[in-house]
Amino acid sequence: MILIDGKKAAAELRQELKHEVISLKAKYNKVPGLTVILIGDLTPSQIYVRNKEKSANEVGLKSEVIKYPDSVNEKTVLEKIEELNKDKSVSGILVQLPLPKHIDKQKVIETILPSKDVDGFHPMNVGNLSLGYESSVPCTPLGCYLLIKKIEPNLNGKKAVIVGRSNLNGKPMMQLLLKENCTVTITHSKTKDLKAECLEADIIVAAVGIPELVKGDWVKKGTIVIDVGINKTDKGIVGDVDFDEVSKNAKALTPVPGGVGPMTIACLLKNTIECFKRTQI
Ligand code: NAP
């Protein structure tokens, strides 16, 4: 079984991006810039943002974090986004989620210029992805996709089963695999026989949020299994896949932690660079 090392893959991607930033700087005499807006003092959000900033600096991007207290009003945040939309030194804008209840998440997402939407959450980018046009793609499914392609470069005709249909993970994952000519089944909480669906799969992507939901006997021999889940349990952080059992059948499997997680941040940097490049033409 191949243990898919997300940390190594992310380090390799960051290295590639670092070289790309050097050549972009030589060509345009400027570097892509990422601005993150962080609202409130939720510890996980602070950690995510710190890691994003550290990784952005590592690859040579210009990075900035704008912090607001929990009490900030929606108008202030929207005005800041408008200001960043006009700022030519900002290639990508990310508002760290979740937001305090009094701030409308969708309004925030839709205020970000689609060309600077590094999270790929703006309806324009969601639409472009589903039409097969160029767009920012949400970072976690993009990371999963790159890991799958490392194991199996030709996905033509493969049967992919995605567990979970969230806008953040399952749906964009479906679009990416469909574009690669996979036959995609997307499952969810109302799916009648999840085990039977999974047993058909050459590729399984689990993005559910239920610890170790995907069992060993749900996976046929030779399947590539990508575990997006991050679940806190008594035995520590586990994924949505029963790692010990599934590793007996899978051809390749991502661990949790150290699989999809590190790729998510590296893909954010990739998206920032792509946004920069699209505006230089
Ligand atoms: P979400 O928005 O809560 O969506 C969960 C999906 O799972 C829903 O579509 C839901 O179906 C489906 N589901 C729930 N119970 C199910 C069941 N018994 N059988 C089949 N499907 C079921 O979750 P998310 O934001 O996509 O996140 C999923 C997991 O990924 C979480 O553990 C999260 O922490 C993790 N995550 C990891 C990263 C990373 O970087 N590694 C990034 C983001 C999220 P319905 O639509 O029918 O309700």
Side-chain angles (χ1 to χ4, degrees):
M1 207 256 330
I2 303 166
L3 182 69
I4 305 174
D5 187 343
K7 271 192 198 163
K8 186 164 167 258
E12 285 167 4
L13 179 55
R14 285 198 303 273
Q15 200 55 29
E16 274 172 38
L17 297 174
K18 196 173 174 175
H19 288 126
E20 193 168 5
V21 171
I22 291 170
S23 26
L24 289 171
K25 190 174 181 189
K27 190 168 176 190
Y28 299 109
N29 199 25
K30 55 186 172 181
V31 295
L34 171 66
T35 299
V36 177
I37 296 181
L38 174 63
I39 302 170
D41 52 12
L42 267 182
T43 313
S45 294
Q46 285 178 336
I47 296 170
Y48 291 144
V49 169
R50 210 177 305 132
N51 288 340
K52 284 168 185 174
E53 196 180 18
K54 194 172 144 243
S55 302
N57 290 332
E58 187 193 323
V59 305
L61 300 182
K62 186 168 113 23
S63 89
E64 181 192 20
V65 179
I66 297 169
K67 292 183 183 165
Y68 290 112
D70 252 320
S71 56
V72 68
N73 63 43
E74 188 181 274
K75 188 166 170 275
T76 305
V77 177
L78 297 181
E79 281 173 0
K80 176 51 80 178
I81 295 173
E82 299 282 9
E83 188 188 314
L84 296 170
N85 282 343
K86 291 187 199 117
D87 184 339
K88 287 202 162 57
S89 73
V90 176
S91 326
I93 303 166
L94 180 152
V95 179
Q96 183 64 44
L97 302 177
L99 298 175
K101 281 200 178 67
H102 64 279
I103 298 182
D104 182 338
K105 180 177 97 175
Q106 204 51 30
K107 218 188 242 180
V108 165
I109 288 173
E110 291 181 27
T111 303
I112 298 172
L113 212 57
S115 59
K116 296 192 178 191
D117 165 36
V118 278
D119 258 338
F121 294 163
H122 192 287
M124 185 87 92
N125 282 318
V126 175
N128 280 339
L129 178 64
S130 73
L131 291 167
Y133 298 160
E134 201 172 36
S135 67
S136 282
V137 178
C139 305
T140 302
L142 180 58
C144 296
Y145 166 79
L146 295 175
L147 291 176
I148 295 168
K149 288 282 281 183
K150 261 183 188 283
I151 301 294
E152 185 60 70
N154 182 2
L155 300 176
N156 236 337
K158 300 278 180 207
K159 173 101 169 95
V161 172
I162 299 164
V163 191
R165 57 173 163 183
S166 69
N167 292 334
L168 178 68
N169 290 308
K171 284 180 193 159
M173 193 72 241
M174 172 189 74
Q175 299 295 354
L176 289 169
L177 292 174
L178 210 49
K179 215 170 163 184
E180 287 290 322
N181 298 322
C182 287
T183 301
V184 186
T185 299
I186 184 153
T187 65
H188 45 78
S189 66
K190 309 291 184 291
T191 295
K192 285 222 163 65
D193 190 346
L194 193 53
K195 177 180 173 180
E197 298 294 347
C198 288
L199 273 169
E200 295 281 312
D202 303 308
I203 299 160
I204 295 174
V205 180
V208 189
I210 299 180
E212 300 175 331
L213 174 75
V214 177
K215 308 290 180 224
D217 63 353
W218 294 21
V219 176
K220 71 175 186 201
K221 287 263 180 229
T223 305
I224 298 172
V225 183
I226 305 293
D227 190 352
V228 180
I230 302 175
N231 306 295
K232 269 191 195 155
T233 68
D234 294 343
K235 59 174 184 180
I237 302 278
V238 302
D240 292 341
V241 172
D242 184 333
F243 184 90
D244 292 341
E245 287 300 315
V246 169
S247 61
K248 291 176 189 158
N249 284 342
K251 168 182 171 182
L253 173 61
T254 55
V256 176
V260 173
M263 282 300 277
T264 298
I265 294 187
C267 286
L268 169 68
L269 310 178
K270 182 174 168 58
N271 279 351
T272 306
I273 293 170
E274 293 304 322
C275 285
F276 174 87
K277 287 196 294 194
R278 284 200 284 269
T279 55
Q280 303 309 309
I281 299 160

